Amino acid sequence: MILAVAAPDTTHAPVFALHEVPLPAIAAAEGTPCYVYSAPVVQARLAGLQQAFAACGHPWALHYALKANSSLGIARLVREAGVDADANSIGEIHLALRAGFRPDQVVFTGVGKSPAELTDAVGLDLKAINAESAGELDRIDAIARTQGRRTRVALRVNPDVDAQTHAHITTGLKSSKFGVPIDDAPGLLRARKDAAGLEIIGLHVHVGSQITTLGPLCAAARKVADLAVALRAEGFPLSHLDLGGGLGIVYEGGDVPTYEAFAQALVDVARPTGLTLIVEPGRTVVGPAGVLLARVIDVKPHAGGGRFVVLDAGMTELMRPALYGAFHRILPVEPSDRPLVSCDVVGPVCESSDSFGRPRELPDPQVGDLMAIMDAGAYGAVMSNTYNRRPLPPELLVQADGSWRTLRRRQTIDDMLALEQA
Ligand code: LLP
């Protein structure tokens, strides 16, 4: 777990390597910016979750939220670990199938599913489609009947629980666009109890991401569990409760619950329902397993007395700081006894929001220095884009033996223009 050793914002960090592969060697061979992931860290985190749920003695299934990192190589690693998938679009469903998941290992979530997505998903006979509205239930029913099928669905309910996280990733307040108000759920399910195209098998909830206490997760789970008990008493043959993802990671110090505490808390709520517990973790699996490796390409003083340190990575590679004001540790990769100086660490994109951290104390950065932006394995590469015509960065996976392989090569200008015509 070499990625976990550095202290928050360590300034005189020693050279750190991913499983004996020095990041400088990776940078020299592959160029920067690039994402570097550790296979053993992903595997260890998956195993940690599996062990924690297995120890609780209640039926469970883990569905990795592909949206956090859907690189084909990462998805394959997840499948090989025996964990199933949560997809948020037909693209993620097909990615999952290409990574070797069977359709019955995939749940399909998403606040808006197009007719084409629903037709495709129904035809694939996935484990479940998490429906987000009465209208969507009816559309699934109609498509399923046309195809001569009964489609397994879970209804996503909105419990009106504050996840106490960033507003942009809060999804369970009644003002959020997700799911149906929990109080409306019984009525709209009753009205569809005999729908020929639907098999109503579960309830789904997800109140937000980067949640660092168990309170909101349990509050939402309890509301959904109570509803499930009531629905079963009415004769709905439910089989699972899908309690979403949402366990956060440590970006900047502080604590997050252990996997054991997370699993136990959710199982304690699910057990009385007798239903299988599903969880859809994303960030906690891959976040700490990845760094964005970047090089300093300019240093200049600014009027405030500090300096701008311009990296060759920006909001195009990692947009979390620009989008959410998110904190990521920035560590110099190579040791240095230079004095600490105050820096605004920024990217090269034409936006003032293209900033990774200000101010940060770093050992007097020089052009050419390598920096690792930590905990970038989740919602990093998947959210990268080509603004300013910047090519998508490569993604590299380091194995336990210290070798690494390319999961995605760097985009070329020809790749970028391949879909265009003048
Ligand atoms: N299930 C559902 C229905 C979700 O919407 C999400 C995340 C997850 C599971 C996985 O949640 P996790 O375990 O990763 O917290 N781009 C944002 C995060 C967006 C999360 C969206 N939903 C960020 O960079 O923080």
Side-chain angles (χ1 to χ4, degrees):
M1 301 273 278
I2 292 168
L3 278 179
V5 295
D9 230 1
T10 298
T11 43
H12 292 270
V15 172
F16 62 95
L18 292 167
H19 307 281
E20 308 312 316
V21 179
L23 290 174
I26 294 183
E30 309 287 348
T32 55
C34 64
Y35 276 95
V36 183
Y37 309 126
S38 162
V41 174
V42 174
Q43 286 160 333
R45 298 183 75 81
L46 289 168
L49 281 166
Q50 288 170 311
Q51 283 156 17
F53 280 95
C56 293
H58 181 79
W60 56 281
L62 280 177
H63 284 253
Y64 167 67
L66 286 165
K67 60 173 75 72
N69 185 323
S70 59
S71 181
L72 197 51
I74 295 290
R76 193 175 294 262
L77 210 59
V78 170
R79 179 183 59 75
E80 286 167 359
V83 169
D84 296 340
D86 164 47
N88 202 68
S89 69
I90 203 68
E92 284 187 355
I93 291 172
H94 285 288
L95 179 286
L97 298 178
R98 290 201 193 182
F101 290 95
R102 298 187 314 266
D104 67 358
Q105 294 174 313
V106 178
V107 294
F108 181 19
T109 310
V111 75
K113 306 179 188 76
S114 71
E117 286 183 304
L118 286 177
T119 304
D120 206 352
V122 167
L124 284 166
D125 198 21
L126 304 175
K127 175 167 171 171
I129 300 180
N130 291 330
E132 296 262 348
S133 69
E136 188 172 287
L137 281 171
D138 292 341
R139 287 188 287 276
I140 296 169
D141 179 36
I143 293 168
R145 280 187 285 109
T146 311
Q147 295 187 12
R149 295 177 183 276
R150 274 188 92 198
T151 294
R152 287 174 294 280
V153 291
L155 180 65
R156 179 167 182 175
V157 296
N158 183 323
D160 195 23
V161 166
D162 185 354
Q164 290 155 26
T165 183
H166 193 282
H168 291 189
I169 50 176
T170 293
T171 57
L173 289 174
K174 63 178 173 216
S175 53
S176 314
K177 65 182 175 179
F178 302 90
V180 301
I182 191 160
D183 293 340
D184 296 352
L188 66 86
L189 287 177
R190 270 179 220 129
R192 290 160 183 83
K193 198 169 180 183
D194 300 318
L198 299 180
E199 191 182 346
I200 299 164
I201 62 161
L203 295 175
H204 177 230
V205 72
H206 172 79
V207 292
S209 193
Q210 183 53 12
I211 299 173
T212 52
T213 58
L214 294 174
L217 296 171
C218 290
R222 273 193 294 271
K223 286 193 170 190
V224 179
D226 289 348
L227 173 61
V229 169
L231 289 170
R232 282 191 112 187
E234 282 189 34
F236 282 95
L238 301 184
S239 58
H240 77 238
L241 274 188
D242 182 341
L243 298 182
L247 188 62
I249 62 172
V250 176
Y251 285 103
E252 191 183 0
D255 276 329
V256 291
T258 62
Y259 286 167
E260 287 72 21
F262 172 65
Q264 195 62 58
L266 295 186
V267 166
D268 284 348
V269 178
R271 200 188 304 276
T273 68
L275 300 176
T276 296
L277 169 61
I278 293 181
V279 285
E280 306 164 343
R283 187 190 311 268
T284 187
V285 174
V286 287
V291 297
L292 173 60
L293 200 52
R295 224 175 258 289
V296 176
I297 52 173
D298 198 10
V299 180
K300 60 184 176 184
H302 72 56
R307 64 204 71 199
F308 289 111
V309 175
V310 186
L311 302 182
D312 62 1
M315 64 192 289
T316 36
E317 285 73 26
L318 179 64
M319 72 176 356
R320 302 193 69 259
L323 200 53
Y324 316 113
F327 182 94
H328 285 261
R329 290 173 291 150
I330 302 169
L331 302 178
V333 170
E334 286 162 303
S336 147
D337 50 13
R338 297 182 210 139
L340 294 181
V341 294
S342 175
C343 306
D344 284 11
V345 185
V346 301
V349 173
C350 261
E351 302 247 352
S352 290
S353 58
D354 183 29
S355 168
F356 285 118
R358 46 167 94 177
R360 297 290 176 94
E361 298 273 300
L362 288 167
D364 198 9
Q366 305 293 317
V367 169
D369 284 359
L370 264 187
M371 298 285 175
I373 302 174
M374 303 297 287
D375 304 308
Y379 307 109
V382 278
M383 291 170 71
S384 58
N385 61 76
T386 58
Y387 183 42
N388 284 196
R389 290 290 188 187
R390 292 171 52 77
L392 297 174
E395 296 176 81
L396 309 158
L397 183 69
V398 181
Q399 309 288 346
D401 66 1
S403 62
W404 73 85
R405 68 185 179 89
T406 302
L407 299 185
R408 178 176 77 181
R409 66 170 169 78
R410 190 181 305 281
Q411 192 180 38
T412 64
I413 189 71
D414 286 338
D415 293 333
M416 204 187 286
L417 296 177
L419 305 178
E420 299 185 28
Q421 47 200 355

